[in-house]
Amino acid sequence: MSRPLGVGLLGLGTVGTGVARVLLGKRDALERRIGRPVQITSVLVRDPSKPRGVSLEVPLVTDARAILDDPAVDIVVEVIGGEEPARTLILEAIERGKHVVTANKEVMAKHGPAILAAAAARSVSVAYEASVGGGIPLIGPFQLDLAANEITSVVGIVNGTTNYILTRMTESGASFADALREAQELGYAEPDPTNDVEAWDAAYKLAILASLAFGAPVMPEQVWREGITQVSQRDILYAAELGYRIKLLAIARLVNGQVETRVHPSLVHQGSMLASVDGSFNAVQVEGDLIGSALFYGRGAGSEPTASAVVADLIALGTSAARGSRQAARHAVELRAMSQLQSRYFLRLLTLDRPGVMAAIATVLGDRGISLASVVQKESVVLGDDVPGAEIVLTTHVASEAAVQDAIATLRHMPVVKTVGSLLRVHE
Ligand code: NAP
Ligand code: HSE
């Protein structure tokens, strides 16, 4: 009988536990599929005394050498998260001639090219399907199934935690803090949820997808990034009144030969496909010259969906059907500055409630070529010290980001404008 396929597991948290459960629960099916048994050899954790959601008969170790130096380990599964020590452990596994499966979008977005080059030099594979979109197949399709296309656009919701938070705030008026706590309890959030709510996680995922789609490395710091912490219940209510929902969108588009990459909260039409993607679900819409439009939709976070992608990578490696590394650069890609964006905008302001205020605001916008599409002003609000104020919500026709940012800078300094509450982009 052939030797078992040895799996060294780095991490036994939400994803690691899911992977271990699948490897144990589907032991026979996996053996039939791969042609030999799959065996977890040992598991790296920080604290072996912690209660675990899975019962394993192998040691929980705190020294990675016990896994990396073990000749019985064929594949190292990295589900620790974060940049270090994950990056170093992945490189050390490669150096020792082991294949790697990782769910780590931060490491792959920041160090993917170096890691994949190291793997190619050692003739091993690094598979990272779980790093984007949880259980939704995305890396494989971009590497293989869409390869004949010239991709022109990748637009989606790629963070389950923020989508869960925005859904709960929209549907039941939950507070941001309560919704985040729920997302953490459900295992959707990153170990440090700042990565989710400040959109780092989505920026890492977009960098990975854009690199695959456009055939040249896009680094996370090249992605324009705004998180959801500034999105308030009032924005959600006004957006609904105007016929929109607010979603954290990740967008990579080819515009005049340049690639625009941005992640920020956006207003999407209530009837649109993206507006109906709720909770921890993700969706990515891809446009290519041959395929037209393709939609990938499913559970973007959580233990089981993510384990599905990790174990699929294990099966592929175990059957030597690995989907290969990131595509080599096909051509140089020039990134488009955010200031060149053309979009519609949603602006919420708190102002003094006085004659001429609306005219003054309209002049600032009009002087910069920004045309108003709608204006909402509700009954007066009290600003403090009994000063009467007004909450004004404006949407614009298509305008340039540079002009809008210039207008905002001017509005912030006007005595009649008390607060620029929010500036959101409208996705068409
Ligand atoms: P998690 O629940 O926090 O689990 C992390 C695990 O790694 C824990 O078992 C922890 O040990 C161990 N660990 C952390 N730092 C370590 C260190 N320095 N040395 C040894 N062990 C260490 O995280 P997770 O949610 O499973 O996420 C893991 C990875 O999967 C991340 O890259 C994440 O982005 C990615 N991912 C997560 C999801 C999801 O829905 N959660 C989906 C897709 C991808 P202890 O248990 O002893 O603390
Ligand atoms: N924290 C991530 C999310 C996990 O919420 O989408 C899945 O990558």
Side-chain angles (χ1 to χ4, degrees):
M1 184 172 136
S2 15
R3 177 173 84 75
L5 180 72
V7 173
L9 196 51
L10 309 181
L12 193 59
T14 302
V15 180
T17 302
V19 171
R21 283 201 189 121
V22 175
L23 294 184
L24 296 176
K26 292 183 181 270
R27 192 195 312 251
D28 294 343
L30 287 169
E31 181 172 350
R32 280 197 299 278
R33 187 91 192 228
I34 296 175
R36 55 179 170 146
V38 180
Q39 188 168 48
I40 301 175
T41 58
S42 47
V43 182
L44 180 76
V45 292
R46 250 179 322 211
D47 175 7
S49 68
K50 238 189 214 177
R52 304 285 165 183
V54 61
S55 137
L56 291 166
E57 287 163 3
V58 295
L60 299 187
V61 300
T62 53
D63 182 355
R65 313 291 130 211
I67 293 174
L68 299 179
D69 293 338
D70 182 351
V73 172
D74 302 292
I75 302 176
V76 169
V77 173
E78 184 279 308
V79 282
I80 288 176
E83 190 169 4
E84 290 293 353
R87 181 197 69 99
T88 302
L89 295 177
I90 289 172
L91 286 170
E92 289 184 1
I94 291 168
E95 190 47 43
R96 287 160 174 76
K98 300 184 191 302
H99 299 297
V100 173
V101 175
T102 179
N104 195 323
K105 64 292 304 236
E106 179 170 358
V107 164
M108 290 312 291
K110 290 181 177 171
H111 307 288
I115 286 172
L116 295 170
R122 290 289 283 134
S123 302
V124 294
S125 295
V126 174
Y128 53 104
E129 183 59 65
S131 66
V132 186
I136 310 170
L138 279 166
I139 305 295
F142 272 103
Q143 285 177 331
L144 280 185
D145 312 302
L146 296 169
N149 283 261
E150 202 59 42
I151 304 287
T152 48
S153 157
V154 179
V155 177
I157 293 168
V158 293
N159 183 268
T161 301
T162 46
N163 203 44
Y164 181 86
I165 293 171
L166 291 172
T167 303
R168 292 280 292 123
M169 287 174 73
T170 303
E171 289 188 347
S172 50
S175 73
F176 180 95
D178 284 348
L180 172 57
R181 197 166 36 252
E182 288 169 19
Q184 288 178 292
E185 284 164 9
L186 290 163
Y188 303 151
E190 291 302 294
D192 175 359
T194 311
N195 277 318
D196 296 296
V197 298
E198 294 296 356
W200 284 108
D201 179 85
Y204 296 145
K205 290 167 174 169
L206 186 68
I208 292 172
L209 292 184
S211 299
L212 290 167
F214 300 109
V218 174
M219 301 309 290
E221 60 272 18
Q222 294 173 312
V223 175
W224 179 270
R225 179 187 54 80
E226 291 170 21
I228 64 160
T229 48
Q230 301 305 318
V231 176
S232 69
Q233 280 290 358
R234 301 204 61 76
D235 296 320
I236 289 171
L237 289 172
Y238 277 114
E241 204 170 304
L242 292 164
Y244 296 96
R245 291 189 68 165
I246 299 180
K247 295 286 181 188
L248 182 72
L249 293 193
I251 299 169
R253 287 193 313 177
L254 204 53
V255 183
N256 297 334
Q258 296 177 314
V259 176
E260 178 183 285
T261 54
R262 51 196 171 97
V263 175
H264 51 70
S266 301
L267 271 70
V268 296
H269 281 288
Q270 263 162 2
S272 68
M273 179 279 296
L274 288 169
S276 65
V277 177
D278 280 335
S280 69
F281 278 78
N282 285 188
V284 176
Q285 190 153 26
V286 183
E287 283 176 16
D289 57 347
L290 304 177
I291 199 168
S293 185
L295 175 67
F296 297 83
Y297 171 81
R299 290 187 189 279
S303 185
E304 286 193 350
T306 312
S308 161
V310 170
V311 176
D313 277 345
L314 273 174
I315 293 170
L317 288 168
T319 51
S320 303
R323 298 206 122 205
S325 298
R326 192 184 295 220
Q327 292 152 326
R330 294 192 296 272
H331 50 78
V333 159
E334 199 182 320
L335 293 169
R336 193 168 171 84
M338 187 65 178
S339 56
Q340 290 182 275
L341 176 68
Q342 296 285 319
S343 174
R344 294 188 58 215
Y345 293 83
F346 165 103
L347 180 59
R348 184 170 58 82
L349 305 165
L350 275 182
T351 69
L352 295 181
D353 193 5
R354 271 193 198 156
V357 169
M358 189 73 86
I361 293 167
T363 300
V364 169
L365 298 173
D367 283 352
R368 288 156 182 82
I370 303 163
S371 167
L372 291 176
S374 71
V375 179
V376 179
Q377 180 180 342
K378 291 289 171 68
E379 287 178 17
S380 296
V381 292
V382 176
L383 292 176
D385 294 335
D386 284 341
V387 177
E391 190 170 45
I392 299 175
V393 171
L394 311 167
T395 62
T396 74
H397 291 296
V398 173
S400 104
E401 176 84 16
V404 169
Q405 293 296 351
D406 186 47
I408 295 292
T410 303
L411 289 172
R412 279 191 210 285
H413 287 102
M414 286 168 60
V416 294
V417 175
K418 290 296 140 197
T419 320
V420 176
S422 40
L423 173 70
L424 300 170
R425 296 167 192 86
V426 180
H427 181 71
E428 305 279 19

